[in-house]
Amino acid sequence: MKYIIGIDVGGTKTAYGLFDNVGNLVCKVKQATAAETDGPTLSDLIIKNIETIVEKNNLVFDDLEGIGIGMPSFINNETGHIYMTSAMPAVKDFPMRDYLYERMKTRIVLDNDANAAALAEFRHGAGRGARHIIYVVIGTGFGCGIIIDGKVFSGSYGAAGEFGHAIATPGEGILCGCENRGCYMSYIAGRHIPERVKLGLEGGIKSRLVPETTDGETLLKAYKDGDLLAEKMISEMAAYVALCLFNVYQMLNIDLFVFGGGLTALGDVFFDKIREEFNKLYHIPFPVHFKISELNDDIGIIGAAEFLR
Ligand SMILES: [Zn+2]
């Protein structure tokens, strides 16, 4: 029997999954990721962990069909070259696939983590049976994975789906890591919530929110207690998500959006507003479906393993 290892590398933790030849998850391991790590150090750690997993499951290296890795990076999925990684700034301009292949001599596929999640939902989750889907991650960041005719669409440089950095308000708003002001990311992503709380308070809105401690959970709680700034922020986030997805829909005409990421915990409060805002813009009678991701925690390792199938 041949096995596949799927690895989901995140800015705070990395998950490893060992899958058998029919896709059953046989073994799962999680480990903290050091944000200051660089490409070679991260790769050496990955190799060491793979060796441990192989050994612990009484396998040998030849039992592996290959290794799939989802990276939170701007990456060329054909060459496995990493250009940049905002969660781990030192993992940049690094030929990660070649580095790993030199040392392991097994098939290795690297791609963006949003593409991994999109593939996982398309084959095993909320996208089953569809022809095309857009997977939308709303968490620390905001972006998409695009599946067209059953395949990940990566674009010319591997960065298709990075729609979070499309511009909503040119020259206005929070400065994002993409070096522009007013991209969708700056209105929607969890990492920009503290700064938006600060701006709201400076603008004179009464609120119990504290910039440093506000995340999705505290925001939702404050919203439910009638906090004006929380209400404004959630409404604004929903409006920008809807605007962004409407534009994506106009471009690609894909009728299924699957949502994942930590901020999906905002629940109906948030998604009812997104639907309402989307419908304000949408005047055609064909349905556009919004679904929540079905695969939860294992989505990253499932998708990474699917890169090899
Ligand atoms: Zn941006």
Side-chain angles (χ1 to χ4, degrees):
M1 192 192 284
K2 285 283 191 182
Y3 293 80
I4 291 175
I5 293 183
I7 306 174
D8 176 25
V9 180
T12 54
K13 58 182 184 298
T14 298
Y16 297 75
L18 177 70
F19 295 86
D20 68 15
N21 62 346
V22 287
N24 292 316
L25 179 56
V26 181
C27 163
K28 190 165 98 174
V29 179
K30 265 190 192 179
Q31 195 182 51
T33 315
E36 67 281 3
T37 192
D38 60 14
T41 312
L42 176 67
S43 303
D44 291 341
L45 183 64
I46 286 174
I47 294 167
K48 195 171 141 254
N49 286 327
I50 290 171
E51 285 167 355
T52 309
I53 290 167
V54 166
E55 201 177 307
K56 273 198 175 152
N57 287 277
N58 299 317
L59 303 175
V60 291
F61 232 76
D62 278 349
D63 292 325
L64 294 183
E65 193 179 316
I67 294 155
I69 306 177
M71 291 291 298
S73 308
F74 174 14
I75 182 169
N76 182 322
N77 64 344
E78 282 170 17
T79 61
H81 189 98
I82 295 187
Y83 297 106
M84 58 170 281
T85 311
S86 39
M88 291 170 279
V91 182
K92 63 171 183 188
D93 197 18
F94 177 59
M96 188 155 164
R97 191 184 66 189
D98 292 350
Y99 185 97
L100 292 169
Y101 182 78
E102 274 304 304
R103 287 152 183 84
M104 291 194 292
K105 304 286 183 203
T106 183
R107 193 172 156 222
I108 294 162
V109 182
L110 280 97
D111 202 343
N112 176 271
D113 53 1
N115 290 345
L119 203 53
E121 286 295 334
F122 178 77
R123 293 192 182 156
H124 301 288
R128 278 190 312 271
R131 186 170 157 203
H132 324 290
I133 71 164
I134 306 275
Y135 174 81
V136 185
V137 60
I138 313 178
T140 316
F142 170 67
C144 305
I146 305 169
I147 305 278
I148 296 177
D149 282 325
K151 286 188 189 136
V152 170
F153 178 76
S154 299
S156 297
Y157 302 111
E162 288 285 344
F163 216 78
H165 297 297
I167 308 293
T169 53
E172 272 175 47
I174 293 171
L175 181 66
C176 173
C178 67
E179 300 182 21
N180 283 320
R181 281 187 193 279
C183 65
Y184 287 102
M185 180 86 78
S186 69
Y187 290 101
I188 298 163
R191 74 164 70 98
H192 291 298
I193 286 178
E195 203 172 338
R196 292 181 57 233
V197 172
K198 196 164 156 263
L199 286 174
L201 295 172
E202 284 169 5
I205 303 172
K206 283 223 175 324
S207 172
R208 69 165 199 225
L209 293 173
V210 179
E212 295 75 25
T213 56
T214 305
D215 57 11
E217 203 177 315
T218 45
L219 194 61
L220 182 62
K221 187 148 192 318
Y223 174 90
K224 286 184 171 163
D225 293 343
D227 189 280
L228 288 179
L229 180 55
E231 152 70 27
K232 180 175 183 287
M233 282 177 62
I234 289 181
S235 298
E236 228 171 57
M237 284 163 77
Y240 281 110
V241 171
L243 178 60
C244 181
L245 299 190
F246 178 74
N247 290 339
V248 170
Y249 176 79
Q250 292 299 94
M251 168 82 83
L252 295 172
N253 196 231
I254 292 178
D255 68 349
L256 174 56
F257 291 92
V258 178
F259 296 91
L263 288 177
T264 53
L266 291 171
D268 290 348
V269 162
F270 188 42
F271 287 101
D272 288 352
K273 283 180 193 288
I274 294 175
R275 172 55 82 179
E276 194 186 315
E277 293 292 333
F278 188 92
N279 286 351
K280 279 186 201 165
L281 302 167
Y282 189 56
H283 312 293
I284 298 162
F286 301 122
V288 177
H289 307 282
F290 292 175
K291 292 184 179 175
I292 301 293
S293 155
E294 289 177 4
L295 298 174
N296 303 318
D297 260 9
D298 292 335
I299 188 168
I301 53 175
I302 293 172
E306 288 296 329
F307 288 153
L308 284 110
R309 294 184 204 278

